[in-house]
Amino acid sequence: MPRPATTPDRTPVEANRQDGDEGDLGAHFQRLIRRFGPIPLGQYMAEANARYYAVRDPLGAAGDFVTAPEVSQMFGEMIGGWLADLRARAGRMDSAYVELGPGRGTLARDSLRVLARAAGRPDVHLVEGSPVLRAAQSALLGAVTHHDDIDTLPDDRPLLVVANEFFDALPIRQLVKTAQGWRERMVGLAGDVLVPVAGDRPMDAAVPADLADAPDGALIETCPAASAIMAALAERVAAQGGAILAIDYGYEVLRHGSTFQAVARHQRTDPFAAPGTADLTAHVDFGALASAARHGGLVVDGVAGQGDFLLSLGIGQRAAALARANPAQAESLATALHRLVDPAEMGTLFRVLAARSAAWPQSSGFAHAESG
Ligand code: SAH
């Protein structure tokens, strides 16, 4: 049976939320399913998240969940330092800064501050689907170029690409073993309630041979969109130079069982109730992301826990320096540092993948990591 995660991975927070006009996406799905039958889980997740992000800023203390850049400026500063070091050693100060799903733009603000010190601010290109978040990013960052997808990114310069909690929001596909064989997991109706159901079409051909005889209820989860975006970006970076840094909660070895989850109003909720009002995510398969990056022609420098990565870049020293400069902030800095790096907080569950053009030097930050 699907194995639900036990704790929300995007830390829910107390919220005074202001919902935008949501329409009733649940009613829309019900009509669609009554008329045409169950819809694939990926379609459900894509439409629900597009609606969710289009009408709200879900981030930070007044939203639904907190991400690492919203915890502390130190997170973006470490990433800016990582990029600045690599760019300098590659000798390509003309590289563009690219971020996928930049949220409020907080990570970009903090990393660009560090990048700007060495060479002036790079050109900023943001891939963002949400009009509300695009406006927030422009307000915080000034002149940026927004993109609907990666196809329109500049093709004449190296790209320094950052993605924090982007891949987890992309639509997943699940296959479930039934008495009749492997089937795609779809969203159907039980009365007026949206529920997961097994599809009609046999999917055995899509399943690795060693799983053909898995017990009933076994479940395989993949994210074709994440692999496709990573592979296409990797091809660009392989041809133009640059690097990709992807950070998300996830795993490196294929797991069986569902990691599909919803967070809204500071709580874990049923992902099939009230679509469009909750943040739908799944854990990211870093093994699959790494192989997509390699297929695109990149060298993977490593996959590490967020804690090890940030500590090896010197976040401990940065916290100490900030605390010396602002003694009144010492306690909140220590709390933020703990939250970002401690194995019981974001330090281990969150993974960092770094991949770069073979023509660029090796990136820093993976001293203790096995090469992915
Ligand atoms: N990186 C930010 C925000 C994470 S929330 C942070 O760490 O705080 C996920 C972000 O990805 C939001 O900006 C959301 O609007 C964006 N997003 C989700 N799905 C997307 C898609 N398919 N295309 C473009 N952006 C998407």
Side-chain angles (χ1 to χ4, degrees):
M1 286 305 291
R3 195 156 34 84
T6 49
T7 52
D9 299 302
R10 281 187 171 171
T11 317
V13 293
E14 287 300 323
N16 282 320
R17 54 187 292 135
Q18 289 221 314
D19 283 334
D21 174 21
E22 263 132 31
D24 193 346
L25 194 59
H28 158 77
F29 281 130
Q30 286 196 28
R31 282 194 300 276
L32 200 66
I33 293 165
R34 285 217 170 81
R35 192 140 172 225
F36 301 109
I39 56 173
L41 184 64
Q43 181 187 344
Y44 174 83
M45 187 174 173
E47 286 189 39
N49 268 350
R51 174 69 67 91
Y52 175 75
Y53 282 108
V55 297
R56 63 168 66 67
D57 169 1
L59 291 149
D64 284 343
F65 55 86
V66 171
T67 57
E70 304 295 334
V71 169
S72 168
Q73 69 184 69
M74 296 185 288
F75 182 78
E77 289 170 347
M78 291 301 116
I79 288 170
W82 185 89
L83 294 169
D85 165 63
L86 192 57
R87 179 185 66 174
R89 287 188 290 116
R92 292 303 300 266
M93 304 315 253
D94 60 329
S95 304
Y97 178 88
V98 174
E99 198 175 326
L100 312 181
R104 289 177 164 177
T106 308
L107 167 54
R109 180 196 64 194
D110 296 331
S111 58
L112 287 167
R113 196 167 56 241
V114 177
L115 281 161
R117 253 177 237 149
R121 193 170 106 141
D123 249 18
V124 178
H125 294 265
L126 307 178
V127 178
E128 174 59 66
S130 160
V132 170
L133 291 174
R134 279 188 179 198
Q137 292 152 16
S138 294
L140 189 65
L141 301 170
V144 301
T145 307
H146 278 116
H147 299 263
D148 291 330
D149 54 49
I150 62 173
D151 295 347
T152 50
L153 291 171
D155 58 8
D156 60 346
R157 271 161 292 168
L159 305 176
L160 302 170
V161 184
V162 180
N164 187 63
E165 295 213 41
F166 168 75
F167 288 105
D168 65 355
L170 299 179
I172 53 167
R173 180 195 204 201
Q174 292 185 340
L175 299 176
V176 63
K177 181 78 190 297
T178 71
Q180 289 77 42
W182 284 96
R183 297 293 164 92
E184 181 163 3
R185 203 164 180 234
M186 318 277 283
V187 180
L189 274 175
D192 285 342
V193 181
L194 296 167
V195 290
V197 297
D200 290 337
R201 272 195 292 148
M203 297 297 289
D204 302 84
V207 172
D210 58 324
L211 289 171
D213 297 322
D216 286 2
L219 192 145
I220 303 171
E221 184 177 277
T222 56
C223 188
S227 296
I229 290 173
M230 180 55 95
L233 257 180
E235 281 180 24
R236 288 291 213 90
V237 171
Q240 296 169 222
I244 304 175
L245 193 65
I247 305 150
D248 236 304
Y249 55 101
Y251 53 90
E252 272 127 85
V253 177
L254 180 66
R255 294 180 9 176
H256 304 303
S258 176
T259 71
F260 185 46
Q261 67 168 36
V263 168
R265 295 185 168 83
H266 59 84
Q267 304 223 13
R268 278 289 292 277
T269 66
D270 174 359
F272 300 102
T277 67
D279 178 41
L280 302 183
T281 61
H283 288 203
V284 172
D285 181 347
F286 276 86
L289 276 189
S291 56
R294 286 196 197 92
H295 267 108
L298 297 185
V299 178
V300 174
D301 280 337
V303 178
Q306 174 174 299
D308 283 345
F309 179 73
L310 294 175
L311 287 168
S312 85
L313 295 182
I315 196 171
Q317 292 86 324
R318 178 66 180 144
L322 284 170
R324 275 195 303 277
N326 316 277
Q329 298 287 315
E331 201 178 317
S332 64
L333 283 161
T335 305
L337 177 65
H338 180 80
R339 188 141 174 220
L340 291 174
V341 306
D342 193 85
E345 304 262 351
M346 301 177 83
T348 302
L349 181 61
F350 280 77
R351 318 298 298 165
V352 180
L353 165 88
R356 44 121 182 141
S357 151
W360 274 41
Q362 187 174 351
S363 65
S364 58
F366 295 90
H368 308 291
E370 289 173 34
S371 183

